[in-house]
Amino acid sequence: MRSVLPFALAGVTAAACALETPYIEEPKPMWLWTGDPTEAPPCPDGAEPAWDGWQYEDPSPDCGECSCAPATCKPSTAYETFGAACGEETVPTNHVDLPEGWDGGCFAPPFPVPTLSYASILYRPPVVVPCEPSPTPEPPALTAEIGRACRADAALAPPSGFVSCMTSTVDAVCPAELPLRRVFTKHRIDYRTCSPCECAPPSELECTVHITAYADRACEQAFDSATLSFTDDPVCHDFPSPSRPNFTALQAEPAAPIAGACAPVQRRSVVVDQIVRSPPKFLCCEQ
């Protein structure tokens, strides 16, 4: 029995070594075509392609520059009148609503506020529209080209449009006669998006408007006005009965320079997430 054990151990050791030895596939000749997948030619003699694959690439992680439109100063679009002097009533008798996005130009509601239906007007301060970031860009485009690998006869020249190649591995060095290393992947799913652009608060901001009330629809007969900053509280003006005309139109214009520049939080948008690919295929090809 003592003479049998060493042979048994030797047999187990040999089997283990055989299992640990990686399988190395011999290089195989291939003919490679690259181009638009809709124009891919068939392999010679109608043979099935060894594989079709997308050209492997490592696209830039940069999506592009971010920018910010300046903050803007807009006059309020809501004003109220009251049937009593300022502070005596809390419920307005009339709402003077201007169109959303009103730029301050002369505007006359369909019906004026009659003389006898108001005794005071409440003017509201302007509002600041925040800086608007540029739209979120798209990730850098991937190539639309594919590679079609066809099994080749090394003794023959490649068909028109194809080049001669040899299969390779990740660590192999291409020989001098086939110096061009090509990498393809049979499947890819692009999960990439771009980070959204965002704007920091305005570095400087002035937003003050001069509001004028008119007795006519053409904004020619002014009878009252108020100047308000966006940080002000609403302002109420009284109108004794003998002096108030019909409240017919409003106009607003900037009373101070408007500066509302914003810098982007990140100057450039970057790629988020990644491309999922199948294991790569390596080829060494002629130039």
Side-chain angles (χ1 to χ4, degrees):
M1 291 296 292
R2 292 180 181 175
S3 62
V4 176
L5 185 57
F7 290 103
L9 288 174
V12 172
T13 304
C17 290
L19 290 174
E20 292 175 1
T21 302
Y23 172 71
I24 301 176
E25 184 179 352
E26 289 294 322
K28 294 182 176 64
M30 291 284 179
W31 288 328
L32 176 69
W33 175 91
T34 56
D36 188 317
T38 62
E39 299 174 359
C43 288
D45 300 327
E48 285 293 317
W51 46 261
D52 287 341
W54 298 101
Q55 184 169 303
Y56 194 96
E57 58 186 324
D58 190 14
S60 169
D62 182 74
C63 287
E65 187 175 2
C66 288
S67 61
C68 293
T72 54
C73 180
K74 295 287 186 182
S76 173
T77 58
Y79 301 86
E80 290 89 32
T81 64
F82 294 84
C86 295
E88 294 183 5
E89 289 186 354
T90 58
V91 179
T93 54
N94 292 283
H95 293 274
V96 183
D97 296 321
L98 289 88
E100 186 176 350
W102 179 49
D103 62 1
C106 180
F107 179 80
F111 303 101
V113 179
T115 298
L116 299 179
S117 70
Y118 77 97
S120 60
I121 298 176
L122 185 71
Y123 297 98
R124 295 191 176 275
V127 295
V128 174
V129 180
C131 295
E132 184 174 350
S134 52
T136 302
E138 293 294 325
L142 297 175
T143 179
E145 286 193 350
I146 68 160
R148 169 160 289 180
C150 300
R151 296 173 181 85
D153 185 338
L156 299 178
S160 176
F162 288 79
V163 295
S164 292
C165 299
M166 193 73 70
T167 59
S168 183
T169 59
V170 62
D171 296 321
V173 177
C174 290
E177 63 273 17
L178 298 171
L180 185 59
R181 184 174 176 81
R182 305 295 301 272
V183 185
F184 297 89
T185 182
K186 292 176 66 175
H187 305 287
R188 72 181 183 192
I189 304 175
D190 190 356
Y191 289 109
R192 297 173 305 152
T193 58
C194 290
S195 60
C197 294
E198 299 176 309
C199 298
S203 55
E204 296 180 15
L205 183 60
E206 289 291 337
C207 178
T208 303
V209 297
H210 185 74
I211 310 161
T212 305
Y214 293 89
D216 66 307
R217 300 183 66 83
C219 294
E220 294 177 349
Q221 301 172 25
F223 69 90
D224 190 44
S225 64
T227 300
L228 292 96
S229 168
F230 75 106
T231 57
D232 291 337
D233 292 326
V235 171
C236 184
H237 287 184
D238 288 325
F239 296 93
S241 178
S243 63
R244 61 175 182 257
N246 287 346
F247 181 12
T248 304
L250 276 171
Q251 191 172 34
E253 55 187 0
I258 300 171
C262 297
V265 175
Q266 291 183 323
R267 294 198 171 276
R268 304 194 72 81
S269 170
V270 296
V271 169
V272 179
D273 222 319
Q274 59 186 345
I275 305 165
V276 177
R277 302 179 176 92
S278 58
K281 298 285 187 179
F282 299 95
L283 294 175
C284 290
C285 301
E286 61 186 0
Q287 292 281 12

